[in-house]
Amino acid sequence: MSEGKWTVFAPTNEAFKKLGDVLDAVLADVDLLKNVLLFHAVDKILFAADLECTHTITMVNGDRSRTVCMGDNVYQKGGSNPRSDMPKIIDADVGACNGVIHAIDE
């Protein structure tokens, strides 16, 4: 992993609340938690303008995530996200000291 700049697709507090008991199970399993966290990060800076519709990006855990555009909305879809329930980027290009954050609603 890079010690440089990062992009993080960060779920909102409301997104975590939707998980209910699933969140407790993830938090109890260190390997699963690590995989989930690393699936939400890219080891380089990707601004919203860098996310191309229908293209995939490789996340830090090695899995790929597809950028999906529908109307004015942009989603960053993982393999386990059904097309009817994709994480929408609701706040993009939030600056951080070591990269950029895109807030997602799922």
Side-chain angles (χ1 to χ4, degrees), residues 19 22 26 32 35-36 39-40 59 61 63-66 76-87 104 106:
L19 292 174
V22 172
V26 172
L32 177 59
N35 189 52
V36 168
F39 180 72
H40 286 80
M59 310 309 279
N61 73 345
D63 290 344
R64 297 183 62 76
S65 177
R66 179 175 304 282
Q76 198 60 46
K77 181 184 179 316
S80 64
N81 299 115
R83 197 141 166 95
S84 62
D85 195 22
M86 297 183 291
I104 55 176
E106 295 289 335

Side-chain angles (χ1 to χ4, degrees), residues 4-11 40-51 57 59 89 91-104:
K5 302 293 184 175
W6 294 75
T7 299
V8 175
F9 294 90
H40 286 80
V42 181
D43 64 353
K44 62 183 177 181
I45 292 183
L46 293 173
F47 291 103
D50 300 320
L51 300 173
I57 54 176
M59 310 309 279
I89 297 173
D91 194 7
D93 298 341
V94 178
C97 62
N98 61 341
V100 64
I101 300 166
H102 303 301
I104 55 176

